[in-house]
Amino acid sequence: MQQTDSLIYVIFGASGDLTRRKLVPALYSLFVQNLLPDKFTLLGVSRSQFTDEAFRLEMRSAINEFKEIDNAGKIDEFIKKIYYKSIQFDNASTYHMLKNRMEEINGSKKINGNVIFYMSTPPSLYGVIPQNLASVGLNNQNDGWKRLIIEKPFGYDLESALKLKDLLLKDWSEDQLFRIDHYLGKETVQNLLVTRFSNGIFEPLWDRNYIHHVEITSAESIGVEKRGGYYDTSGALRDMVQNHLLQVVALTAMESPSSLEPIAIRNEILKVFQSLRPILKEDVKKNTIRGQYIASKIKNENIAGYREEEGVKPESDTETYAAVKFYIDNWRWGGVPFYIRTGKRLPTRVTEVVIHFKPTPHFLFAKGAACNTCNQLVIRIQPDEGILLKFGMKTPGAGFDVQTVNMDFHYSDLSHLRIPSAYERLIYDSINGDATLFARTEEVIEAWKFLSPVIEAWKNDKDVPLYGYPAGTWGPETADDLIEEKDMTWRYPCKNLLDDGFYCEL
Ligand code: BG6
C-alpha cells in the first residue's frame, strides 16, 4: 500500500446529492480520525456557480446533517481546505481553467501533484470527463499519481461497458481506475471473507457436498424517491444485481486467495464471474422473475405505484423487483443453485446471505424433514448486522421432537466499535492505492455478459411477464416458484435478525 502525504481530491458533480450525503461526510470523518494526508485539499467541481465561500457553507451544512461523527470540533479546520470551480463538463477548453485552478491551489499550498478525480456525475459523463482531463495532461503521473473513481453504473449493457472500457483505457491505465461498488465497502460484506477464511469450522462445509442452495436478498422498503428519472432507465437488474449482488455472490463463492494482496483477492473474484453459467435466452422465463410495484395502502397511507412516481413514464416497463436463479460451474459449486432477489417497496430494508445446508442423510426424528428447517447460516449485511446459525434441538419433554433454535451474534454487541460507512472505507483505500475493494474491468464485463441474455429477453420477449406487486409486499408471489424444491420458499426475513419466517409488520 502506498502512503501519501498530499492530495487534491476533485469531486465532479459537487453540487449533487451524493457529495452532500456521502462523500463529504466520509471525507470529514476520515479527517477527524487523522486518516487524510497532511496536505489535503478538496476541490468541488460542477456546472452550478458557487464561490468558495458559498460552497463551503453548503458543505458545512452537509456535515452538520451527518450525525455519526463525534468530533464536530474540527469542522472549521476542515472547511478551510475546501475550494470550488465551475466548469462545463463537455467543453474541453474549460479544463485548462480547472488545471489552472488546481495549480493555483497547488502553489499556494505547496503540495505535489497527487490527485483523485471522483466522478459523481450522471453516467453519460464517465467517458467525457476523463477524456477531457487527459486532453490537458491531468492523467499524467510524472508529478504525482492521478486516480479516477467512477461510480456505478459502469455502462448500460455489455456493448456500452466495452465502449466505455476502451475509451477509458486509451488515456488511463487500469491501476489508475477505481470503480466504486459501495457494497464492497460495507464492513459486513468484507466480513464474508473473514467468516469464511478465519474459521476452521465453516470452510470444510462450504461446497456442493454440504450446501443445498444459497440465497441472497437485498430488500428496500423505500421506493424510487426523487430518482425516478435515473431509475426508469435502469431498473433493479442494472441498479442492484449487475453490481452489488453479484459482488456479494463472488465473495460468498470465491476460493481462498493466496494472500490479502489486491491482485490475489481480485483474481479469485474474477474466477467466480467467469464461472457463472450463462442463462440461455430460452431459460430466462423459467429462471428469472421481474416485478414492478403498484399502488397500495399501508397503515391507512396511500402509497403510489411505480408508474405514478415523479420522473417515471406512465407506461414504464422498468422492473423494480428482480429475482434470478443461476449456477456457478466449478468444482466447489457444481449443481448448487444460487437465488438472488432485490426490490424496492418491499416490507422492510434488509440485505442478507443465507447458506442453506443439506438435510442429514437419514432423518431419525419425527419432524423437520423439509429443508426449510435444515441448518442455515444467515449472514446479515444490513441492518442489524450479524450472523445467525440455525440448528435443530430437542424440544424438552417426552419423545424426540426437534425444534429449530438460533445461535446469534450482533455487531451491535461490539458497542465500543463504530462501523464506518462504506464510502469512508473506500475513499480511504483509494487514497492509499489499495484497489482490493474496487471492481476490476474484467469483473464488470463478465457481469454484463452474464446478464445480457436476461436484459435482452426482458426487453424483447413478450412471453416474459412483468408482474405487478402491491407496494409493501415481498414482490411477485410467483417468485416462490423459482425455488423448485417442494415445500421450500425464500426466507422471509424481518427487521430483526432473529425474527424470521414472518411477514414484517407494515
Ligand atoms: C444504490 C442504488 O447503488 O444502492 C440504489 O442505486 C439503492 O437504488 C442503493 O437504493 C442501496 O444501497 P444500500 O447501501 O442502502 O443498500
Side-chain angles (χ1 to χ4, degrees):
M1 215 190 271
Q2 305 156 27
Q3 293 301 330
T4 180
D5 63 354
S6 72
L7 173 65
I8 306 187
Y9 207 95
V10 183
I11 301 181
F12 288 91
S15 57
D17 198 43
L18 186 73
T19 305
R20 270 191 81 82
R21 282 191 308 112
K22 302 283 185 193
L23 305 184
V24 168
L27 282 164
Y28 179 59
S29 180
L30 290 172
F31 176 70
V32 166
Q33 298 166 73
N34 291 323
L35 293 176
L36 289 184
D38 290 344
K39 294 172 200 150
F40 172 83
T41 310
L42 171 59
L43 176 61
V45 180
S46 68
R47 277 179 274 234
S48 319
Q49 297 289 341
F50 283 108
T51 59
D52 285 344
E53 271 322 306
F55 187 63
R56 285 174 182 166
L57 266 181
E58 285 287 316
M59 294 306 105
R60 182 187 285 276
S61 87
I63 292 169
N64 283 334
E65 276 165 31
F66 185 72
K67 302 280 177 240
E68 280 175 39
I69 311 166
D70 301 336
N71 191 347
K74 287 183 122 181
I75 196 163
D76 290 341
E77 206 184 320
F78 181 72
I79 290 293
K80 280 191 220 142
K81 296 175 180 292
I82 300 182
Y83 298 83
Y84 184 80
K85 176 77 191 150
S86 157
I87 66 165
Q88 293 303 320
F89 294 136
D90 48 2
N91 180 349
S93 61
T94 63
Y95 285 73
H96 283 292
M97 295 186 319
L98 172 67
K99 193 177 180 194
N100 290 344
R101 187 81 217 265
M102 288 169 64
E103 281 168 357
E104 196 181 288
I105 295 170
N106 257 353
S108 64
K109 295 276 164 192
K110 290 194 175 48
I111 55 181
N112 66 24
N114 294 336
V115 184
I116 287 184
F117 298 104
Y118 196 115
M119 305 291 118
S120 172
T121 62
S124 55
L125 294 167
Y126 291 172
V128 178
I129 294 176
Q131 212 176 6
N132 285 335
L133 287 171
S135 74
V136 295
L138 280 170
N139 57 341
N140 186 320
Q141 306 205 80
N142 289 343
D143 62 345
W145 48 255
K146 307 284 180 299
R147 294 178 188 143
L148 264 184
I149 302 191
I150 303 176
E151 271 288 332
K152 64 156 251 279
F154 190 80
Y156 178 75
D157 52 18
L158 179 58
E159 201 190 334
S160 55
L162 285 169
K163 261 197 204 142
L164 181 57
K165 172 191 107 156
D166 290 344
L167 195 67
L168 289 173
L169 291 179
K170 207 153 57 71
D171 300 314
W172 302 78
S173 60
E174 177 70 27
D175 61 6
Q176 289 179 286
L177 302 182
F178 287 70
R179 273 179 221 84
I180 279 232
D181 184 309
H182 80 276
Y183 265 55
L184 289 177
K186 290 182 191 280
E187 196 64 33
T188 39
V189 171
Q190 293 155 33
N191 189 46
L192 277 165
L193 294 186
V194 178
T195 304
R196 290 188 55 199
F197 302 127
S198 77
N199 294 297
I201 58 169
F202 295 125
E203 202 44 29
L205 305 180
W206 210 266
D207 65 20
R208 67 186 184 287
N209 294 314
Y210 297 97
I211 293 179
H212 187 271
H213 68 280
V214 177
E215 178 186 338
I216 298 175
T217 292
S218 182
E220 293 184 273
S221 50
I222 53 171
V224 290
E225 312 223 284
K226 301 258 175 271
R227 299 166 69 229
Y230 148 75
Y231 196 88
D232 210 33
T233 61
S234 165
L237 201 69
R238 291 184 170 92
D239 188 51
M240 292 292 293
V241 177
Q242 190 273 342
N243 32 70
H244 307 326
L245 289 195
L246 286 182
Q247 288 290 347
V248 174
V249 168
L251 294 188
T252 307
M254 68 190 255
E255 297 301 317
S256 163
S258 56
S259 73
L260 283 183
E261 285 302 309
I263 186 150
I265 296 183
R266 292 168 110 199
N267 280 349
E268 295 307 332
I269 289 179
L270 179 62
K271 284 186 207 159
V272 176
F273 282 97
Q274 289 169 333
S275 310
L276 295 170
R277 184 189 299 174
I279 298 177
L280 302 177
K281 249 186 186 166
E282 53 273 28
D283 290 338
V284 169
K285 188 172 174 196
K286 193 171 78 188
N287 290 336
T288 69
I289 302 282
R290 58 173 170 161
Q292 188 185 78
Y293 62 82
I294 55 176
S296 75
K297 201 165 198 167
I298 300 178
K299 286 191 173 163
N300 277 333
E301 193 195 331
N302 289 321
I303 306 292
Y306 175 68
R307 291 179 183 181
E308 285 111 57
E309 301 275 19
E310 193 187 316
V312 172
K313 285 197 248 52
E315 72 291 0
S316 171
D317 277 346
T318 300
E319 78 287 352
T320 59
Y321 174 99
V324 184
K325 172 185 180 181
F326 61 93
Y327 292 89
I328 297 175
D329 282 339
N330 61 22
W331 275 58
R332 183 186 284 269
W333 294 111
V336 177
F338 278 68
Y339 299 92
I340 55 182
R341 66 176 167 168
T342 182
K344 298 225 180 257
R345 282 278 184 229
L346 301 189
T348 191
R349 173 173 183 253
V350 63
T351 301
E352 62 179 29
V353 177
V354 189
I355 309 295
H356 293 258
F357 290 95
K358 288 185 172 172
T360 53
H362 168 60
F363 201 75
L364 278 177
F365 310 104
K367 290 184 187 154
C371 212
N372 259 352
T373 59
C374 288
N375 295 121
Q376 292 173 10
L377 184 70
V378 181
I379 302 174
R380 177 65 65 84
I381 310 269
Q382 65 187 21
D384 190 12
E385 293 86 352
I387 297 190
L388 172 72
L389 178 65
K390 300 172 86 66
F391 61 98
M393 204 202 71
K394 181 179 178 304
T395 306
F400 278 100
D401 281 352
V402 180
Q403 72 181 77
T404 300
V405 294
N406 297 321
M407 200 187 268
D408 68 301
F409 159 73
H410 298 259
Y411 267 71
S412 54
D413 295 342
L414 303 173
S415 55
H416 60 294
L417 293 179
R418 156 180 173 271
I419 301 186
S421 80
Y423 278 96
E424 205 173 308
R425 170 68 197 254
L426 293 174
I427 288 175
Y428 177 76
D429 283 2
S430 63
I431 292 174
N432 290 302
D434 182 350
T436 313
L437 300 174
F438 293 82
R440 204 160 72 177
T441 300
E442 298 102 305
E443 290 166 33
V444 177
I445 300 298
E446 289 297 331
W448 280 122
K449 263 190 210 159
F450 173 62
L451 291 176
S452 280
V454 182
I455 292 174
E456 177 71 21
W458 282 10
K459 186 167 164 222
N460 297 323
D461 187 346
K462 298 285 169 259
D463 276 354
V464 183
L466 171 69
Y467 296 97
Y469 62 95
T473 63
W474 276 107
E477 281 178 10
T478 182
D480 275 345
D481 302 337
L482 263 191
I483 305 187
E484 281 164 20
E485 189 103 349
K486 199 169 151 280
D487 296 330
M488 273 181 54
T489 63
W490 298 87
R491 186 178 121 90
Y492 285 106
C494 216
K495 282 204 175 104
N496 187 311
L497 185 53
L498 300 180
D499 187 16
D500 57 327
F502 298 102
Y503 273 74
C504 302
E505 196 201 341
L506 295 176

